[in-house]
Structure formats: C-alpha cells, structure tokens
Amino acid sequence: MKLEQAFGSVLRKKRLEKNYTQEALAHSCKVDRTFIGLLERSKRQPTITTIFKLCKALDVKPSEIFIEIESMVDL
Amino acid sequence: MKLEQAFGSVLRKKRLEKNYTQEALAHSCKVDRTFIGLLERSKRQPTITTIFKLCKALDVKPSEIFIEIESMVDL
C-alpha cells in the first residue's frame, strides 16, 4: 500500500473500531467533518498536531498508528 | 514541552546522533536545506510523507520518533 493511503486506512479502521461516525470524530477534534473524509480517502495529509488530536479522540497512541502504517508500507 | 516543538527537537537530536548536517539530511531527503531548519525550529510541521523520508535518511522508524515525542508532551 502507498504511504499516503496507509494513514487514511488506519484512521478509518480505528474510527470504526470505536464506533465513531466521521461527524462524531470531527466534532471531538474540532475539525470539519469533510476533513475526516478527506484524510480517510488520503486526499489530505495531517499535521502532527492533527495526528495527536485524532489519536486523543480515538484513545490510541500516535506511535501505535505509525507501527500499523509501518507494517503496511515498504519502508 | 509543546507538541509542535517536540518533533523539531527529536529531529535535531536524531540528526546530530547520526552526525548529519542540515545540508546532508536535506540532500538525502531531496528537500531544501532551509526546510530542515524550519522543521527543527518548529516553524513548519511535516507531512507523513516527509516524516517517512526523514526517518529513512536517519535510519530510524517513525514510530520510534513518536514514542519519544509522546514521552516529551502531556497527552
């Protein structure tokens, strides 16, 4: 999988695991709902600040997200 | 430490550990030298693609960078 796609797919997976809708996740991170969709479809890349906000809302560590991404892409 | 500063300080630490100059790191990542300085001084935030490029050049995993950042900031 391409790197740009990996973050979006891990974000989506974590969101669904927590039974969040895109709206609910966007609300808890104080970002626009469409931004979550753009991230999940890899149309946007998040800054580190956004990564930490998303991870706080999803109760997962950013390092865990990156461990999953590393397992999905050829480093 | 503020989140925005943590990445810059970890990047600088890893670069110095590997005895890279900003120029050498910029060259190996095919980014402008000034961009490395801006990242280290937290004037810019990297995309995930840039994070992976920097980590490849520094021979460190992105997840390791994030584990260090997590230890430096209040989550």
Side-chain angles (χ1 to χ4, degrees):
Chain A
M1 179 178 284
K2 277 180 71 182
L3 174 56
E4 292 77 11
Q5 293 163 321
F7 178 81
S9 108
V10 171
L11 175 63
R12 182 173 170 76
K13 185 179 143 220
K14 294 290 179 190
R15 176 173 65 77
L16 295 175
E17 277 170 15
K18 303 278 171 164
N19 295 315
Y20 264 90
T21 61
Q22 286 185 349
E23 287 82 353
L25 180 55
H27 182 70
S28 68
C29 295
K30 298 186 181 62
V31 298
D32 189 83
R33 184 198 66 76
T34 57
F35 185 57
I36 302 294
L38 290 167
L39 287 173
E40 290 188 358
R41 296 192 313 278
S42 308
K43 302 292 185 203
R44 287 286 183 291
Q45 284 205 33
T47 61
I48 289 177
T49 308
T50 299
I51 291 169
F52 271 74
K53 266 200 267 189
L54 292 164
C55 288
K56 191 166 190 175
L58 293 169
D59 193 28
V60 62
K61 284 190 173 176
S63 50
E64 291 165 31
I65 296 272
F66 274 87
I67 287 167
E68 273 195 52
I69 292 172
E70 286 158 8
S71 71
M72 298 163 74
V73 300
D74 323 317
L75 293 180
Chain B
M1 178 178 285
K2 277 180 69 183
L3 173 57
E4 292 77 11
Q5 292 163 321
F7 177 81
S9 109
V10 172
L11 175 63
R12 183 172 170 76
K13 186 178 142 224
K14 295 289 179 190
R15 176 174 65 78
L16 295 174
E17 277 171 14
K18 304 279 174 167
N19 296 314
Y20 264 89
T21 61
Q22 287 185 348
E23 285 82 352
L25 180 55
H27 182 71
S28 69
C29 294
K30 297 185 182 63
V31 298
D32 188 84
R33 183 196 67 73
T34 58
F35 185 58
I36 301 294
L38 289 168
L39 286 174
E40 290 188 358
R41 294 192 315 276
S42 308
K43 303 290 185 210
R44 289 285 184 291
Q45 284 204 35
T47 62
I48 288 178
T49 308
T50 300
I51 291 170
F52 270 74
K53 265 201 265 188
L54 292 164
C55 287
K56 190 165 190 175
L58 293 168
D59 192 27
V60 62
K61 284 190 170 176
S63 51
E64 291 163 33
I65 297 273
F66 275 87
I67 287 167
E68 274 196 50
I69 292 173
E70 287 158 7
S71 71
M72 297 161 73
V73 300
D74 323 317
L75 292 181

